[in-house]
Amino acid sequence: LSLALAVLAPAALAGLRRSLATDEAGIGDDVEGDPPLLGEPQLPPRAPSAPPSASQTKALPRRGLGTRNSTATRRAPDPIRGVGSVFGKVTAALEAEQARSADMARRAAQRQTETQAERAKASARWQALQLDHSDARTASDAKTAKAQVAPAGGAFDLSTVDPDRSSIFVSLATFIDPECPTTLESLFANAANPERLRVGLVQQNLKPADARKYEAVVENVDCVDTYCASVGQDACRRSQIRLDRQDALETRGVTVARYDAQQLLADERFYLQVDSHTYFARHWDTRFIASWLKTGNPRAILTTYPRSFDALEKPYMNGTVKKSETRVPLICRYDVLPGGGGVPVVANVAGGYGPPLAAPMLAANWAAGQSFGLAQAERDAPYDKYAEFLFQGEEPYRAAQYWTRGYDFYTPDENLVFHHYRPAGRKYGVRLSNTPVWGRASTQQKLHRSLNRVFVMLGLPSDGAAELHEMAPGDRYGVGDERTLEQYFEFAQYEPATMRASGCQCSRRTRVPTRSELEANSSFISPNAVVVAPKLFGSAREQYCCDVKTASTAFVDGFVPLRRHAFGLPYVCNGHGECDGAKSGVRLEGFSSIAALELAKERCLARGKDGAVIGWRDPPRKAGAPKGEVAYAQSGPSEGLSMDELALSRVVVSQRFQFDSPKRPTVTCVVRTATYRLTNRARAVLATWGGDCDRIMFVAEGATSRDLDLNPINIPETVKQWDGVQEVLRNAHCQGSDATEWYVFLYDTNYVVLPNLWELLADLDTDQLYLGRRMNRGGRGSDDDLFINAAAGIVLSRTLMHQLADELSGWRKGDPTTHGGQPPPGSRSCDFSDVRDSADVSLARCLTRRLDIAPMSTTDKDGGERFLPFKAGEHASMGRDDGSWIWGYSESKSDGLESISRSVVSFSDVLKVEEMFKYDIWLRCRR
């Protein structure tokens, strides 16, 4: 016994340790087979099973040793073997080692069998490929044909694709849809080669009892059974339909349903995704492939929103397209639409119909209702199984997945599928939102997490938790590595920071090469590709405004929806300096600001019906003031006033027009601000004088979607001031169009008396005007030296804005060299070498030299200025000998209070929010 223990125990115990280590690690339980043969399609790996819950764990047998030696199979102890506990343990260890060896041998045999089965499956795939390419007679042709299912980026010879011999997988996801059987019937009946089709159908229907409960018996049809009953069992192609039946009340939304449909994909060459209420044109299958081949691009995906089914001749099942309905719908840009729970999400916006096309046209947007390309695209960019209940937002998310993996979208050159859009007031099918599923709190939580998942993917701000599993760059559902997300946004002309997009490049896009192409210094686009030439610009405005990002339809044409307000204090702020965001959301600087405004209101002087302070007389100048300063001997109404209050009391606010007066001049206010001032100064503008603008646009470099309540226009950061001003002018013109007669360009440090501007503009007899505080740059008085000071505000007429846009666009009618886009900075007609970095002087030179428009003076008959580049009090106390730069440029001969026109239009350098409100109080006092 001692000898046996000495000899056997070490080896047995070592074997026991190996067995325990192996079994606890799970080694041997999930043996992987041989890697797939080179060139086989790489299907998405199966999702890992969810870990068992605590309640389930007790019922599960242990893996490894515990499984083989569980309580149910353990043999009773043998009394003969039980001689001594130690010897019994050693014997048990030896038996365990023998059992492990036997088990490993069994698994090896099983692995060999699985390998043989896998090779048999690969052989079947190869046979399918040979059928798919029966014209490939030689070994080299066969090798080329096999390469067609290589992952994207591999070799691909388009010449081997035969439209009549290629297989197509059709993905259908249906939710209680009575139109699904018709879809199957039309799909097979109108195919040129129906035997080469395979349908992956995920059918989500109610159980019979639930259908009766929710009054959906009519809609709750079985898609395949009803289709077969309609066409007859002999004509039914049931064997070509891979069906996944699911309970509609257990649905996880359309995105996950389409993921499930992808799991039904086998070795088919092409992949078509449509909705389950679709009609098909005659010979749609061969025509899709032929159209796809025209692109010369193995990574092409033909996609757009389908035409309505009524574009087909009756009976619709014949698949004959009306001759008058051949134009293909376009998707030109993204927009912001309400998602679940009212959360704004990015979605496609239909862009009308395109011109007749000789071949598919490069596009930037992907549509879920019609998507045709190689099935490999679905393996490279699978649907996201974690995006539960996602609907709005699905398409830009999928587009980013495809495009960053090197796939390109094309608008088809003909209509081949037709959608049964839900008519207004008519019911067919059952919407998810009409079922108990939608009302569950868990559904809304999952939807919110899915939306945040999309927001993270697209670089949008997210709110709350997000499911980020497998979302890192390079992961199955993350951004690909062939192109960057930033490149896609630029290609699609989408600005995620402000949720703006432009659709002007809809028929003018240029393909972006992939990383693999750049590294190889070659393109995989066939030289035989039929390329649709980019459309030329038809007008200067079309070109000038092409890449201007228009605001979302959630807002008002890029301008803030104005709320007219009544005068009062403390406006929208409470005594703690906190404000109601539903109104203007201005945050004042604490209690001192609130107290100062209350005091300003108490000291406010009453104004009469003419808008002037009752009993006001200009106070006489006080002798003995320091050099360069002006002081006044105050008495009567002016006694004890600050210089700001003294100057503002002199202003007469015109009563000629009310806001709703029919003949009042209309004005667009374009306010230059900064991102860090959008939450205070810009809101103060909106809460005070901005309410008198017909439209108001805030412009800032680097504005983001966080400021969407002000709807700011984001302009690129520029080195030269003139480049920045041109961007402001372009956005104002392109987004403002002909909405108003005048444009006034200001800063958020200005306070503007709009009633006085209305009166000034109403009396002008020409509409080609450029006016404001005119200054003289050279002192010689020539038109080339005159300019309007930007600090005090620049006013341009609508007609002049149109002329300026034509000039700055660089477009010339009949000259194709000017039709490709805007000229680069430095080569434009108004980039003058003799003006370094003065934007207002550059604008004046452009208008004077190119359009022969000189700046107009707005000095009143008494020599007072209407547009002032400083605060009111500074102008009131400023003497001509104070050494200020302004006297070297100013045409005005007056100083002190006399330099301020009683019909003043604007003040500048109003730097504090508190001062903006003070100006508003004094100028509107008891008006």
Side-chain angles (χ1 to χ4, degrees), residues 654-665 755 758 927:
S654 173
Q655 303 297 299
R656 179 175 173 182
F657 297 105
Q658 300 301 313
F659 189 85
D660 56 357
S661 298
K663 295 184 179 181
R664 176 185 61 81
W758 298 337
R927 186 171 127 197

Side-chain angles (χ1 to χ4, degrees), residues 301-305 329 331 363 365-368 370-372 409-412:
I301 296 176
L302 307 184
T303 182
T304 192
Y305 290 136
I331 306 174
N365 300 66
W366 177 86
Q370 179 180 192
S371 177
F372 180 85
F409 311 126
Y410 291 82
T411 300

Side-chain angles (χ1 to χ4, degrees), residues 516-633:
S516 298
E517 289 175 293
L518 295 174
E519 290 176 353
N521 195 28
S522 65
S523 173
F524 54 68
I525 305 297
S526 168
N528 298 321
V530 182
V531 179
V532 177
K535 178 184 175 183
L536 298 180
F537 292 103
S539 67
R541 174 180 171 78
E542 189 179 11
Q543 175 172 299
Y544 187 57
C545 300
C546 177
D547 57 351
V548 169
K549 307 295 190 301
T550 57
S552 160
T553 53
F555 308 103
V556 184
D557 300 326
F559 295 80
V560 180
L562 295 177
R563 303 177 185 89
R564 308 299 169 194
H565 58 81
F567 170 70
L569 272 178
Y571 287 84
V572 293
C573 304
N574 62 23
H576 302 287
E578 297 169 343
C579 306
D580 183 356
K583 296 180 180 177
S584 73
V586 184
R587 181 174 291 277
L588 300 179
E589 293 84 0
F591 291 104
S592 59
S593 295
I594 295 292
L597 296 184
E598 293 290 356
L599 180 61
K601 185 177 181 182
E602 290 177 5
R603 295 174 55 180
C604 179
L605 301 182
R607 292 179 181 269
K609 293 183 179 180
D610 61 350
V613 173
I614 297 173
W616 177 259
R617 296 288 184 274
D618 284 351
R621 296 196 182 197
K622 186 187 297 183
K627 183 179 180 181
E629 294 183 11
V630 179
Y632 298 91

Side-chain angles (χ1 to χ4, degrees), residues 150-170:
F156 199 110
D157 184 0
L158 292 172
S159 65
T160 65
V161 178
D162 184 345
D164 286 317
R165 301 180 182 276
S166 296
S167 56
I168 301 176
F169 178 90
V170 182

Side-chain angles (χ1 to χ4, degrees), residues 287-288 290-295 297 299-307 326-333 348-367 370-372 408-416 491 505-509 530-532:
R287 291 163 70 181
F288 252 132
S291 181
W292 180 86
L293 285 170
K294 290 180 185 178
T295 68
N297 185 349
R299 299 190 193 180
I301 296 176
L302 307 184
T303 182
T304 192
Y305 290 136
R307 290 291 297 262
T326 57
R327 291 189 303 162
V328 180
L330 300 176
I331 306 174
C332 291
R333 68 183 181 93
N348 290 334
V349 175
Y353 298 100
L357 299 173
M361 181 176 64
L362 192 66
N365 300 66
W366 177 86
Q370 179 180 192
S371 177
F372 180 85
D408 296 300
F409 311 126
Y410 291 82
T411 300
D413 55 347
E414 60 175 335
N415 297 302
L416 297 175
F491 178 71
Q505 293 289 1
C506 196
S507 56
R508 303 182 179 90
R509 302 194 190 277
V530 182
V531 179
V532 177

